[in-house]
Amino acid sequence: MSTQEKSTRLGREELAALVAADIKAGSFVNLGIGQPTLVSNYLRPEQAVTLHTENGMLGMGPEAHGDDIDEDLINAGKIPVTELPGASYFHHADSFAMMRGGHLDVCVLGAFQVSATGDLANWHTGAADAIPAVGGAMDLATGAKEVYVMMSLFAKDGTSKLVEACTYPLTGVGCVTRIYTNDAVFLITPDGVRVRETFGTTVAELQERIPVPLEPALLG
């Protein structure tokens, strides 16, 4: 089909709902710190998605609120979460073995930059006063079968975060398969970057601001 164009940009919650809807039923999924954590709130029971968190849990549910908050039950971003029936807990080393061993179908990560070939930079901007903290991102980027990125498409200075080549230190090489932003969804393919759909803009308008050749979605 051709690229779909919707009239308004997506908000954070709408974007999280879109990502959740795209995750295949029965998948094992890790949600990174930041925007990706919102995805847990929009997964439907019939999807039977099992959420993994690197601090040692399978079967994580949506964020906890009010009386459901248990301060001992948190995700990797220290956000209180719920547990689903059948949830299990394990050592940090076992959690990383799952990540590194190719047992996750999808991970959803934030990013500072993504290149046209799917390179990911999401842990350090290179600033002299920044604290390097790659954490488990490199394990997820290389271990998950698919890597989805959720990010704002443009930095505060208006420059594109979808770039020809990353200028920040890399987290993973050629690992990103999809990019979800408030303005558009991009697919990283062997033939280049394809725009699956846009929100409040057009492919032509995006091309004026993004230094990467953009292709519309394939017909059919």
Side-chain angles (χ1 to χ4, degrees):
M1 62 180 179
S2 60
T3 301
Q4 300 179 40
E5 297 181 357
K6 298 182 180 178
S7 59
T8 57
R9 295 177 76 244
L10 296 187
R12 286 166 56 91
E13 301 291 339
E14 292 171 306
L15 189 61
L18 178 62
V19 176
D22 280 352
I23 295 174
K24 294 179 182 178
S27 294
F28 287 82
V29 179
N30 182 287
L31 303 177
I33 296 170
Q35 279 196 71
T37 61
L38 296 174
V39 173
S40 67
N41 298 330
Y42 295 95
L43 292 168
R44 304 182 309 278
E46 59 268 26
Q47 286 178 272
V49 168
T50 302
L51 291 181
H52 166 277
T53 178
E54 66 192 62
N55 52 318
M57 180 182 180
L58 272 177
M60 182 178 73
E63 290 182 29
H65 300 281
D67 293 338
D68 291 332
I69 292 177
D70 178 347
E71 294 182 358
D72 291 325
L73 187 56
I74 59 175
N75 63 20
K78 299 183 175 63
I79 296 173
V81 294
T82 55
E83 60 180 5
L84 299 180
S88 60
Y89 303 88
F90 33 84
H91 193 278
H92 209 191
D94 295 319
S95 180
F96 271 72
M98 294 177 192
M99 293 155 58
R100 295 170 180 170
H103 302 290
L104 295 177
D105 296 299
V106 177
C107 71
V108 186
L109 300 172
F112 295 130
Q113 290 178 330
V114 179
S115 79
T117 55
D119 296 344
L120 171 66
N122 80 340
W123 69 279
H124 194 26
T125 62
D129 59 346
I131 300 174
V134 68
M138 60 183 179
D139 305 276
L140 290 166
T142 58
K145 295 171 185 174
E146 286 201 78
V147 177
Y148 296 173
V149 161
M150 286 179 71
M151 68 178 189
S152 55
L153 183 53
F154 301 105
K156 292 181 180 179
D157 63 1
T159 58
S160 174
K161 293 162 70 172
L162 173 55
V163 294
E164 192 66 40
C166 295
T167 57
Y168 295 148
L170 293 184
T171 308
V173 176
C175 56
V176 177
T177 53
R178 297 185 186 183
I179 305 170
Y180 292 84
T181 77
N182 306 87
D183 300 280
V185 175
F186 303 90
L187 307 178
I188 306 295
T189 77
D191 300 319
V193 179
R194 294 199 174 275
V195 186
R196 191 184 78 177
E197 54 191 311
T198 63
F199 315 112
T201 187
T202 65
V203 175
E205 289 171 340
L206 290 174
Q207 187 64 88
E208 292 178 358
R209 302 182 64 185
I210 297 175
V212 170
L214 301 176
E215 301 291 337
L218 293 172
L219 298 175

